[in-house]
Amino acid sequence: AGCQPARGQALPMKRVAAYTSSTALLLLAPLALACDYPSRVEIPNGNSASKAEMIEGQRNVKEYVAKMEAYLKCLLEEEKNARIEMEDLSAEDEQLREDMLNKKYNAAVDEMEKVAARFNDEVGAYRTKEQ
């Protein structure tokens, strides 16, 4: 009896264990279905690229955008499926998952917009050079 912790001390350890296991679920669940984040596309330099290189660049950017859109769709589907499998998700854990999803989604959209804007800048430089 002298080696066992007092009754009040066992409860915090149970909470720590429960928190640790729920956090592990939050972090490990996405790894099971991980969506593939597309590699960044190379954008031609509008000041030195040929017309063929600019057309190829446009094709690559369109392909990249399509892959990013598929990635975004995958993120949403992955989260939907993960939540189906997690029956008793606390409100706090649900909010953490929602925040994580929003950060990933918004970062991907921002990246996609930056690539498109950069390509448009290079198209402008190419057109200026060609005049």
Side-chain angles (χ1 to χ4, degrees):
C3 293
Q4 291 184 344
R7 210 179 259 260
Q9 291 175 337
L11 184 57
M13 288 306 293
K14 286 181 182 177
R15 285 186 184 152
V16 169
Y19 178 76
T20 303
S21 64
S22 67
T23 301
L25 274 177
L26 286 171
L27 298 175
L28 295 177
L31 297 177
L33 303 169
C35 299
D36 292 330
Y37 192 90
S39 298
R40 190 177 244 201
V41 65
E42 191 168 323
I43 296 175
N45 182 332
N47 293 313
S48 61
S50 67
K51 183 176 182 177
E53 290 170 326
M54 292 303 291
I55 291 170
E56 180 68 20
Q58 179 184 32
R59 191 175 9 256
N60 291 340
V61 168
K62 284 182 179 182
E63 183 179 320
Y64 171 78
V65 168
K67 286 179 181 179
M68 282 298 272
E69 288 171 346
Y71 170 77
L72 293 171
K73 185 177 178 182
C74 178
L75 276 181
L76 295 175
E77 191 66 27
E78 179 182 83
E79 182 60 20
K80 178 181 153 190
N81 292 335
R83 288 187 186 203
I84 289 170
E85 291 184 26
M86 290 184 238
E87 297 169 5
D88 295 327
L89 199 58
S90 72
E92 181 180 326
D93 288 345
E94 191 169 334
Q95 186 61 53
L96 286 172
R97 290 193 67 85
E98 186 70 24
D99 292 346
M100 180 74 74
L101 175 64
N102 287 336
K103 285 179 184 178
K104 285 181 181 180
Y105 193 95
N106 291 339
V109 169
D110 288 346
E111 180 66 20
M112 193 169 38
E113 289 173 350
K114 285 178 188 175
V115 167
R118 185 163 166 246
F119 180 73
N120 287 337
D121 290 345
E122 295 302 331
V123 168
Y126 175 80
R127 287 183 178 153
T128 299
K129 173 187 81 167
E130 291 298 304
Q131 291 179 355

